[in-house]
Amino acid sequence: MTLDEQAILRLNDLLREAGRRIVIVSHTNPDGDAVGSSLAWAEILRGMGHRVLCVVPNKYPYFLDWMTGIEEVVVYKTDTEGRAARAVEEADLIFCLDFNAISRLENLSDVIESNTTARRVLIDHHLAPDPGFELMFSHPDASSTSFIVYKIIERLCGTGAITPAMAEAMYVGMMTDTGNFSFSFLTPDLYRAVAVLAETGIDLPQIHNNVYNAFTEGRARLFGYAINRKMEIIQDGTVAYMSLLESEMRRFQFQQGDSEGFVNYALTIKKVKMSAMFVAHRKFIRISLRSRGDVDVNLFARKYFNGGGHRNAAGGKSFDTMQQTIDHYVRSVAEFARNGYLG
Ligand code: 5GP
Ligand code: MN
């Protein structure tokens, strides 16, 4: 990925005056990259003398609780004091990190939409961002938003400005969005960035341990159950899916984030090129899609589930029952294959 010099100049302009009131927002069901990029960006902006508040629509998963500064992130859903709404109302600048459409903020969308005075800046790596941003750093060829934030910090302030806390936050984003450096845009430049982050003295094995080895017993057992009892393989062994009902999740004391990563597991099977996970929520079913190589699940999510994402990782929602959703998936996969998209 290459930064646009013109965009950097405009960003510089927007940040020239110290003391700007800034809100950083990220997507619903915030993941390691959403939180990591937000925390690092907030910290560098504070260093420039701005007043910054990070806001997420709902709670981040518990395995990110240890991150420095996370306790200051306002969770809009449980923000009874109205801190987020007030900050958005008063903001000069709103940075939108790690999502491409305001609708991805769900319950927070209205608050952001209704603020007409703040300038909106997008920093993101999803395909096809919405129009309507004052300034965009849209880099679908970046493996994570944290990597884009790194490149902007490098260009704007130099890497000497990166504190260990910022380095840790960006590393979490880079690590989680690449599946622990195993897929998507593993460029030499990304590893150069990682080397710079490592030089700040952060403890890489400890970060890995904090994120990937901090689950509950229930999560481990739910994983076994999902793979053994719920994984179905169709399309001559090339497509997989799994589903979890609320009753099944309750049985394993489900906490938000517990099914994170399950969808990837089907892709460890040599023949499987595409995998889906259906997780029931109170009012809808959340769909996660993953693929290998040229199989484009962003296209699939857009066409069949009104969603989107990246070529090899996308998602969407269904408001039908679990069985209807699965039937729709199976039919859609067959059509997708007939149209030549499964290779
Ligand atoms: P995950 O499966 O990890 O929740 O999401 C994978 C990717 O798909 C993420 O990059 C996420 O932003 C995108 N994605 C997930 N759900 C939706 C959705 O409902 N709409 C759109 N446009 N993208 C989604
Ligand atoms: Mn991301």
Side-chain angles (χ1 to χ4, degrees):
M1 64 148 286
T2 313
L3 289 175
D4 172 14
E5 271 309 304
Q6 217 49 37
I8 288 288
L9 291 177
R10 290 184 53 207
L11 179 63
N12 234 333
D13 251 8
L14 291 174
L15 297 172
R16 193 188 311 275
E17 246 174 79
R20 293 262 178 222
R21 286 163 300 186
I22 296 177
V23 172
I24 298 175
V25 290
S26 199
H27 60 78
T28 307
N29 298 327
D31 55 11
D33 189 31
V35 172
S37 60
S38 294
L39 290 176
W41 189 234
E43 210 39 43
I44 196 84
L45 292 175
R46 288 190 189 111
M48 295 176 188
H50 301 295
R51 286 181 283 166
V52 189
L53 188 72
C54 293
V55 180
V56 289
N58 63 341
K59 187 85 169 72
Y60 39 82
Y62 61 90
F63 51 80
L64 300 177
D65 281 346
W66 59 275
M67 293 179 73
T68 307
I70 200 158
E71 64 288 344
E72 287 161 31
V73 174
V74 175
V75 178
Y76 178 66
K77 201 174 172 183
T78 51
D79 175 30
T80 48
E81 295 161 34
R83 282 181 69 203
R86 233 177 5 260
V88 169
E89 208 169 290
E90 292 169 358
D92 304 307
L93 274 171
I94 297 175
F95 283 97
C96 298
L97 265 60
D98 200 35
F99 65 96
N100 55 357
I102 298 291
S103 61
R104 293 275 291 133
L105 296 175
E106 299 190 1
N107 56 357
L108 183 60
S109 304
D110 289 346
V111 178
I112 299 291
E113 295 281 23
S114 64
N115 180 315
T116 49
T117 54
R119 296 175 169 202
R120 281 188 220 153
V121 183
L122 178 85
I123 304 179
D124 178 50
H125 68 135
H126 294 89
L127 293 157
D130 269 359
F133 292 95
E134 168 100 16
L135 178 59
M136 287 211 275
F137 291 86
S138 169
H139 296 277
D141 62 341
S143 51
S144 61
T145 298
S146 294
F147 181 50
I148 308 173
V149 164
Y150 171 89
K151 296 301 284 182
I152 297 175
I153 292 175
E154 179 187 49
R155 176 66 185 75
L156 223 52
C157 315
T159 53
I162 297 173
T163 64
M166 285 179 219
E168 215 165 63
M170 288 187 279
Y171 185 75
V172 165
M174 294 173 186
M175 176 180 82
T176 53
D177 259 28
T178 58
N180 197 18
F181 302 99
S182 67
F183 51 71
S184 90
F185 305 109
L186 298 177
T187 58
D189 217 22
L190 172 68
Y191 288 99
R192 275 190 280 272
V194 169
V196 170
L197 300 183
E199 268 166 358
T200 67
I202 57 174
D203 188 340
L204 302 185
Q206 184 63 43
I207 295 173
H208 182 277
N209 205 40
N210 286 345
V211 173
Y212 292 117
N213 302 330
F215 297 117
T216 60
E217 178 184 339
R219 195 255 189 197
R221 295 195 187 282
L222 176 67
F223 179 59
Y225 171 78
I227 293 293
N228 188 27
R229 305 281 296 278
K230 304 299 303 278
M231 186 172 69
E232 302 289 339
I233 298 190
I234 56 175
Q235 206 65 38
D236 193 27
T238 61
V239 174
Y241 65 91
M242 262 186 268
S243 61
L244 287 174
L245 297 167
E246 281 186 286
S247 55
E248 293 169 315
M249 288 145 74
R250 264 197 303 276
R251 240 195 285 162
F252 295 94
Q253 297 84 43
F254 187 89
Q255 296 180 53
Q256 196 195 317
D258 273 356
S259 59
E260 198 86 6
F262 287 16
V263 63
N264 296 314
Y265 206 79
L267 288 176
T268 63
I269 303 164
K270 194 168 183 182
K271 266 181 83 178
V272 173
K273 296 177 183 172
M274 173 169 161
S275 163
M277 173 85 191
F278 305 100
V279 178
H281 289 244
R282 220 166 298 150
K283 294 189 183 141
F284 57 87
I285 293 166
R286 184 164 284 288
I287 302 155
S288 281
L289 295 158
R290 298 291 184 272
S291 65
R292 240 199 272 268
D294 290 338
V295 175
D296 188 344
V297 285
N298 171 54
L299 185 73
F300 185 88
R302 281 174 186 268
K303 191 160 176 357
Y304 299 108
F305 286 101
N306 197 25
H310 315 275
R311 187 178 64 180
N312 296 133
K317 265 185 192 174
S318 161
F319 295 91
D320 293 330
T321 64
M322 186 61 87
Q323 196 51 53
Q324 285 167 333
T325 304
I326 289 172
D327 291 346
H328 176 61
Y329 175 73
V330 172
R331 276 195 307 270
S332 305
V333 164
E335 184 179 294
F336 205 54
R338 267 199 312 279
N339 292 339
Y341 290 112
L342 282 179

